[in-house]
Amino acid sequence: MPNRLIEETSPYLLQHAHNPVEWYPWGEEALTKARIEDKPIIVSIGYSACHWCHVMERESFENEQVAAVMNAGYVCIKVDREERPDVDSIYMDALHAMGGRGGWPLNVFLTPEAKPFYGMTYMPPRNWVNLLNSVQNAFVNHRDELEKSAAGFVENMLMKESNKYHLDGSTTEFRQEDLDEMFEHIKQNFDLEKGGMERAPKFPMPSIYKFLLRYYALSKNPEALRQIELSLNRIALGGIYDHVGGGWARYSVDEDWFIPHFEKMLYDNGQLLSMYSEAYTLTKNELYKRRVYETVDWLRREMLSPDGGFYSALDADSEGVEGKFYTWTQAELQSILGDDFEWFSKLYSIRAAGNWEHGYNHLHLTPQADWNLVFTEKYSAALDKLFEVREKRVRPGLDDKILASWNGLTLKGLTDAYRTFGDEQFRELALQNATFLKTKMTNENHRLWHSYKAGKATIVGFLEDYASVIDAYLGVYQITFEEEWLDEALKLTAYTIEHLYDEEDELFYFTDSSSDELIARKKEIFDNVIPASNSLMAHNLYVLGMLVSYDEYIELADWMLSKLKRSMMTDVQWVTNWAALYVMRVQPTAEVVLVGPEIDAFRKEIETTFWPNKIVVGAKTTSDLPLLEGRLSSTDTTTVYVCFNKTCQLPVHSVEEALQQLAVSN
C-alpha cells in the first residue's frame, strides 16, 4: 500500500511512496501527529539524483522489518531537499552543530516539537536499526537530556548570523591591496597540478573561477590566469564531462577529474555555461566554445520541458547501477567504432580490463591527450556513433520538477553564452525560459513560486529564487535591451526587500515572511557550489542600481559587502562570490551606453572583448532609463558612450573607438 507521499509531485518523494515506512511529507499533519502521540520524529532528507539516498532506501526503507521499527516508534517525514531547501538548511546546520559531516541522505531525529537532538547521513541497515532502538530508549528513559540537548541546538540556530559569524560592516572602502591578500590566501588551497582545489572529491566551484577571472582582469596576475585555465581545462577534458552527450556531472570522486558521481544537476551546468563563455572571451580557447555548445544542445534535448522550463536533474543510476548509462566495455567500443577504435582507444585510454571498475571504461581525456583530434570530423563521427547506441539504453531517471532558482542560474548561463558567441539560438532559448519564469512561476503580486510540475506552481519562493531570477533578468535585458525585463527585476527586488530583508541584521532571510514558520528563520551567507543567495542579491542590487541609477541599491550592496570583509580576509574560498563583487567595487564599473539603429550589432562586437566589470544599456529610439536620458539621437548614426561614475567620454560611432576608450580607462 502506498503511504502519504503518493499525493506529492516531487519525483524524490514519489520514489518513496510505496515504501513500507509510513512516510509523511513535511507539513502540519505530521508535526501535529508527533505532538499528539508524543513521538520523536525522523526527518530523512535527500533528492532524486542522490546515489546513497537510493542505497539507503533499498537497504532500509524498503525493508519490512526496518520499516516496522520506524513506524512503531517514530513519526517519519521525507523531505526533498531541492523542493524544501529551507527545511534542509535548518537541519543540516543542526548536524554541523552536532559535529557531524554534511551530506545526503540527511537523517535527523527531532523531539515532538521539531527540535533536533541527533543526526547522521547514510547508515547501513543493521547500524540503522540499532540506532533506532537506542534513540527510542533514550527518548523514553532520558527525555530530559535529549530535550536539553535539542534546546541548545535550537538556541544556536536562533542566533543572528551577524553575531554568529562576526559580520560587522564598518567601512565601504574597497582596496586592491585587500584583493591581493585574498588571492594569496586562496592560492594556498589550489591544486597546482590538477586544477581546482587541493582536495578530493573535486567539485566544480564556479564562484571561485568567477572571482579569479575578475581578479585577473584587474591585476593581470599570471598565477590567477594559470589556475583558471588549468581548472577549466581539466573540468572540460575529464570524465566529469559527458563526452558523448554533453553536460557536466556533479563532481569527481577522485582528484583527477576522472570518475564522476554520475548525476547531472541543472545548477552546475547553468553556472558552467557562464564560466566557460566568459573565459572564452579572455582565452579564445576553442575547447571552451565546444563545451558550451554541446551543453546547450544537451539542455535543449534532454532537460527542456514543453512549457519552456528546465528540469532539475538526471539520476546517477540506471537499472539500479551507478554510471551504467555512461560506461563501455572494450568489446562494445570495438564493435561500434570498427576501424576508428584504434586511435579512439589510445585517445581515451581504453583497456580490456576497463579503465574504471568491473571491466568498464569511462571516457576521459588526460592533459597529455592530442587535443587536435577533438576538433576533427572523424572524432565527432565516432562520438555520434556512440551517442546513437547509447540512446537505446535504459536512461537514468529524470527529476522533472522545475525550480525557479536553478532555472535562473541556467537562464543567466544562456545570456552569458549569447553575449560571448552571439548565436541567436542561445537568445531564443533564453527568452523562451525567461517567458516561462515570468508567466508560470510569478504571481500577480510579483511573488515567485519555487517549484513547478505538471502545470502547477507550488511552494512560496525562497531568496535563492529571487536572487537567481533577478540576476538572469538583468542578463536578459542586456542581450535584448527590452526594458520589460528590467521592470520585472525591479518588481522582484522590491518584493524581496519588503518580504525577506532583515533590517536589524542588514541581510536577507532565506524564507519569505509568508512562508511556513520553522523553528528558525535562517540566512544563507557563505558561497559553495552555488553562490549564497545573499551574495547574489548583493550583486543584483549593485548591477540593478547601476542600470537604473538607484543609489540606495548600490549603497545597500556596498554595506552588505562590507559586512563580509572579515570573512573575505580570513577564509575567502567560502565567500568568493562576495569577493567577485569586491573586485567590481575596487575600480569603477564601465557604463556602455548604445543608441541608434545598429545597437545590437555594436553590442555583439563589444561583448567579444573580455571586460567583466561593465553594464550595457541601449535603445534605438526612446527610453526612460536615466543612463539614456538626453542621448537618443534622431539621426541614423549609432553612437556609443563609455562612462564611469556617470561621467562620459566623448561619444563615438564605432566599436573600435569604444574599445579604445575602455582600454585607456583600465
Side-chain angles (χ1 to χ4, degrees), residues 555-587:
E555 290 166 6
L556 178 54
D558 283 349
W559 187 246
M560 292 172 68
L561 187 59
S562 76
K563 290 174 73 70
L564 269 292
K565 184 171 181 179
R566 183 198 298 264
S567 297
M568 284 184 272
M569 300 309 296
T570 55
D571 197 3
V572 69
Q573 68 173 309
W574 303 113
V575 284
T576 46
N577 199 50
W578 294 100
L581 179 57
Y582 197 105
V583 179
M584 295 181 71
R585 299 303 286 126
V586 165
Q587 280 190 334

Side-chain angles (χ1 to χ4, degrees), residues 49-70:
C50 167
H51 172 71
W52 289 104
C53 298
H54 298 325
V55 173
M56 192 160 182
E57 180 188 19
R58 288 195 298 269
E59 293 178 344
S60 294
F61 304 149
E62 291 179 351
N63 184 303
E64 296 279 356
Q65 288 73 34
V66 175
V69 178
M70 294 174 67

Side-chain angles (χ1 to χ4, degrees), residues 360-498:
Y360 283 94
N361 292 276
H362 182 55
L363 300 186
H364 75 298
L365 293 171
T366 67
Q368 292 74 39
D370 183 1
W371 290 19
N372 292 324
L373 283 171
V374 172
F375 306 105
T376 62
E377 288 186 13
K378 71 174 184 177
Y379 175 82
S380 297
L383 291 183
D384 287 344
K385 290 178 183 178
L386 296 182
F387 178 83
E388 185 177 341
V389 170
R390 202 177 76 172
E391 283 296 281
K392 298 173 184 177
R393 294 177 174 178
V394 176
R395 299 188 59 79
L398 171 69
D399 186 329
D400 61 351
K401 69 177 179 293
I402 297 169
L403 300 177
S405 54
W406 296 3
N407 272 254
L409 294 172
T410 305
L411 175 55
K412 180 60 161 53
L414 289 169
T415 66
D416 287 334
Y418 178 75
R419 291 175 80 158
T420 296
F421 300 109
D423 192 314
E424 289 303 319
Q425 293 182 80
F426 295 172
R427 182 157 66 172
E428 290 168 11
L429 189 57
L431 283 169
Q432 182 181 1
N433 186 239
T435 301
F436 166 82
L437 288 167
K438 179 181 175 182
T439 59
K440 301 293 187 181
M441 300 196 74
T442 314
N443 75 6
E444 64 278 4
N445 298 319
H446 315 300
R447 187 179 78 183
L448 286 172
W449 296 103
H450 177 62
S451 184
Y452 180 93
K453 188 166 185 279
K456 183 180 179 183
T458 58
I459 305 174
V460 174
F462 304 107
L463 182 62
E464 65 176 26
D465 300 303
Y466 291 94
S468 297
V469 172
I470 292 166
D471 186 27
Y473 285 169
L474 296 178
V476 174
Y477 166 73
Q478 291 179 89
I479 66 169
T480 63
F481 298 138
E482 295 172 1
E483 292 180 18
E484 67 171 290
W485 301 110
L486 266 185
D487 292 339
E488 286 299 309
L490 282 166
K491 291 170 184 175
L492 292 177
T493 301
Y495 182 94
T496 308
I497 291 172
E498 181 178 356

Side-chain angles (χ1 to χ4, degrees), residues 138-156:
F139 184 77
V140 172
N141 297 311
H142 304 283
R143 178 84 171 259
D144 289 348
E145 294 176 27
L146 288 187
E147 292 189 344
K148 182 179 179 181
S149 177
F153 294 130
V154 171
E155 183 180 356
N156 179 70

Side-chain angles (χ1 to χ4, degrees), residues 4-177:
R4 285 168 176 79
L5 301 184
I6 198 66
E7 301 297 327
E8 297 298 303
T9 58
S10 158
Y12 177 66
L13 297 186
L14 290 172
Q15 287 170 6
H16 292 267
H18 294 275
N19 293 169
V21 178
E22 295 171 6
W23 293 117
Y24 286 78
W26 180 270
E28 194 51 46
E29 182 183 6
L31 299 175
T32 299
K33 177 182 172 67
R35 290 193 297 269
I36 291 173
E37 298 183 7
D38 195 34
K39 281 185 173 181
I41 300 168
I42 297 172
V43 174
S44 182
I45 304 173
Y47 57 99
S48 70
C50 167
H51 172 71
W52 289 104
C53 298
H54 298 325
V55 173
M56 192 160 182
E57 180 188 19
R58 288 195 298 269
E59 293 178 344
S60 294
F61 304 149
E62 291 179 351
N63 184 303
E64 296 279 356
Q65 288 73 34
V66 175
V69 178
M70 294 174 67
N71 295 336
Y74 299 89
V75 174
C76 303
I77 299 177
K78 253 293 166 198
V79 174
D80 181 341
R81 69 169 297 261
E82 298 164 356
E83 201 172 60
R84 293 302 303 262
D86 53 337
V87 176
D88 176 61
S89 174
I90 281 177
Y91 294 118
M92 186 63 78
D93 277 359
L95 180 67
H96 291 153
M98 296 168 192
R101 290 189 62 185
W104 298 275
L106 170 61
N107 299 290
V108 184
F109 292 87
L110 317 180
T111 68
E113 293 75 35
K115 297 177 181 179
F117 60 84
Y118 191 70
M120 81 297 301
T121 54
Y122 166 79
M123 190 171 277
R126 180 178 297 178
N127 299 31
W128 177 242
V129 170
N130 289 339
L131 178 63
L132 291 170
N133 291 328
S134 296
V135 170
Q136 185 61 225
N137 177 64
F139 184 77
V140 172
N141 297 311
H142 304 283
R143 178 84 171 259
D144 289 348
E145 294 176 27
L146 288 187
E147 292 189 344
K148 182 179 179 181
S149 177
F153 294 130
V154 171
E155 183 180 356
N156 179 70
M157 286 188 282
L158 290 173
M159 186 184 300
K160 289 280 188 183
E161 277 78 4
S162 286
N163 295 330
K164 184 183 294 187
Y165 301 116
H166 308 292
L167 310 179
D168 53 356
S170 57
T171 176
T172 54
E173 179 188 4
F174 307 112
R175 307 180 311 153
Q176 181 166 341
E177 305 91 90

